[in-house]
Amino acid sequence: MEEIRPIIWEDGVLKLLDQRLLPEEERYLACSTPDELRDCIKDMVVRGAPAIGVSAAFGMVLAARNYLDRLPVNLEEDNAPQEGFWQAMEEAGTKLKASRPTAVNLSWGVDRMLRKLSEAKRAPTGTVLQLLEAEALGIYEEDIETNKQIGANGAALIAEGSTLLTHCNAGALATAGYGTALGVIRSAFQQGRVKNVLAGETRPLLQGSRLTCWELQKEGIPVQLIADGAAGFFISRGEVDGIITGADRVAANGDAANKIGTYPLALLAGEHNIPFYVAAPLSTVDLSAGTGWDIEIEERDGKEVLSLGGRRLAPEGASARNPAFDVTPAGLITAVITEKGVIFSPNEKKLIRMFEGGVQRG
Ligand code: MRU
């Protein structure tokens, strides 16, 4: 099976599969500077919480290289980088973090790189660069492993022959590979538990139709696209056995921010007594956000709502609001599926316990 690789690090260049062009075209866009990466994150060349976190980690390597390339430094010599370097790295990190505000994985990736950097304060410049690159590659590999673990933990919750509904794209494309919500679907499908997937199209940018359908088709997993407004129709007729989505940030109390339109799906699940699962790595949990109200919600350009595929549909003069995410209250979430285990009826105590130890049920 052809592997989906949204992020490739090759010869010191970050290559991103341009997700704006999918499914028509599979083209990579190369980033050699952190500013180029920032534009790619803003414009959603790369998107999905873990994918932007992993990309930002490589962005910090690009920042270090770019800064040092401009100085007369001999990497072979035993000299540690000067004060200006540390400041430049902090600034690059701050800029990257600001490119999209809701997914906490972005800050998580940058902060992990800055921590690695602070451990290497007195190391020679060449060593600092090597350490940074190794850390970013480690984050990349870990993300794929984490998703496979989420997949295994989540698959156990899916009954044989299930039809699952998902929203947006929380797949290989939204991560370094394999995916979170789609990782669970992948694993469950391999075990013969998934009969069908209903993918909400996910207006305004259509991640469901363009990306989730493309990914599941490649994998040979049966998928049917539905209009976002059709979810209630299928759920009320008993045609959906469970809903599974990813998350951009999970607050300490278990409230979860995800793509706009997720919250109404959780309400429907509650009303019709089917499970609503959130699949997310622990790097998506932000214990410093007490509740969902502490999560900054990105509001994007109204043009995305006023048009479809670049063609304006609304009349000239019409205006639009375009929040990119909504928050599902913890009370509506059956379980958060993490790499360390499944947290049923999530709350602060259980999330902290998961960070500290892992494996818990109920
Ligand atoms: O605006 P996007 O496409 O970045 O939104 C992505 C989502 O909402 C995903 O569900 C979330 O980031 C989890 S990805 C594993």
Side-chain angles (χ1 to χ4, degrees):
M1 192 139 325
E2 196 196 333
E3 207 185 329
I4 297 171
R5 297 182 71 196
I7 301 166
I8 297 176
W9 177 252
E10 208 168 63
D11 302 327
V13 175
L14 184 64
K15 295 181 179 159
L16 301 170
L17 180 58
D18 191 340
Q19 300 194 26
R20 299 167 306 179
L21 305 179
L22 290 173
E24 282 89 14
E25 220 183 305
E26 290 179 42
R27 195 199 301 165
Y28 282 85
L29 211 152
C31 295
S32 313
T33 69
D35 284 352
E36 284 171 2
L37 172 61
R38 216 180 38 178
D39 290 345
C40 282
I41 294 175
K42 275 190 179 164
D43 296 345
M44 297 181 62
V45 171
V46 60
R47 33 75 40 207
I52 59 180
V54 171
S55 303
F58 286 114
M60 294 300 279
V61 185
L62 295 177
R65 282 253 173 82
N66 274 260
Y67 183 86
L68 294 168
D69 278 355
R70 280 184 266 124
L71 297 179
V73 184
N74 180 350
L75 297 188
E76 305 309 318
E77 280 174 18
D78 194 29
N79 51 350
Q82 299 304 302
E83 205 45 51
F85 172 71
W86 308 105
Q87 202 185 320
M89 290 301 286
E90 288 281 350
E91 282 168 11
T94 306
K95 275 188 177 175
L96 277 170
K97 284 182 189 182
S99 51
R100 287 194 82 190
T102 304
V104 74
N105 305 62
L106 188 52
S107 310
W108 175 89
V110 168
D111 288 340
R112 200 166 136 178
M113 295 299 282
L114 289 173
R115 264 202 310 281
K116 183 48 65 180
L117 207 55
S118 68
E119 282 167 30
K121 265 259 158 155
R122 266 174 282 280
T125 307
T127 311
V128 171
L129 277 176
Q130 278 167 9
L131 284 172
L132 282 179
E133 187 168 2
E135 186 71 358
L137 286 167
I139 290 174
Y140 175 93
E141 297 294 343
E142 269 171 39
D143 186 61
I144 298 175
E145 278 319 302
T146 294
N147 294 333
K148 289 188 175 161
Q149 200 51 57
I150 290 173
N153 292 342
L157 303 174
I158 312 297
E160 226 169 274
S162 290
T163 291
L164 299 173
L165 190 148
T166 190
H167 189 58
C168 194
N169 172 269
L173 288 167
T175 60
Y178 204 75
T180 57
L182 292 195
V184 172
I185 289 175
R186 272 193 168 83
S187 298
F189 179 75
Q190 281 157 16
Q191 297 172 12
R193 296 169 188 260
V194 176
K195 187 175 74 186
N196 191 25
V197 177
L198 295 180
E201 60 178 351
T202 318
R203 273 285 281 148
L205 295 181
L206 302 173
Q207 289 92 330
S209 25
R210 295 187 306 102
L211 309 178
T212 294
C213 287
W214 180 78
E215 235 191 276
L216 292 180
Q217 269 183 353
K218 262 187 187 281
E219 195 90 358
I221 300 176
V223 55
Q224 290 174 310
L225 184 64
I226 62 167
D228 295 321
F233 175 86
F234 292 108
I235 294 169
S236 65
R237 290 177 172 228
E239 293 190 36
V240 178
D241 300 298
I243 300 176
I244 181 154
T245 73
D248 283 80
R249 194 185 300 220
V250 177
N253 72 341
D255 292 353
N258 191 51
K259 178 53 56 194
I260 195 79
T262 301
Y263 169 45
L265 292 175
L267 285 169
L268 279 166
E271 176 68 20
H272 295 281
N273 222 7
I274 58 168
F276 178 85
Y277 298 119
V278 170
L282 287 175
S283 56
T284 300
V285 178
D286 179 9
L287 293 178
S288 74
T291 73
W293 291 106
D294 300 318
I295 300 175
E296 185 182 347
I297 300 295
E298 175 184 11
E299 184 139 357
R300 295 181 64 85
D301 197 321
K303 273 194 225 144
E304 292 176 351
V305 178
L306 296 165
S307 57
L308 187 66
R311 184 175 154 243
R312 191 176 168 105
L313 297 178
E316 283 308 324
S319 67
R321 294 286 307 275
N322 187 15
F325 303 97
D326 58 24
V327 174
T328 298
L332 294 174
I333 299 173
T334 308
V336 176
I337 305 163
T338 77
E339 67 274 33
K340 283 203 185 175
V342 177
I343 309 167
F344 286 94
S345 308
N347 61 30
E348 184 158 5
K349 212 167 114 200
K350 292 180 187 177
L351 278 163
I352 291 175
R353 214 173 350 130
M354 188 58 82
F355 262 97
E356 287 167 351
V359 192
Q360 56 177 278
R361 299 182 74 86

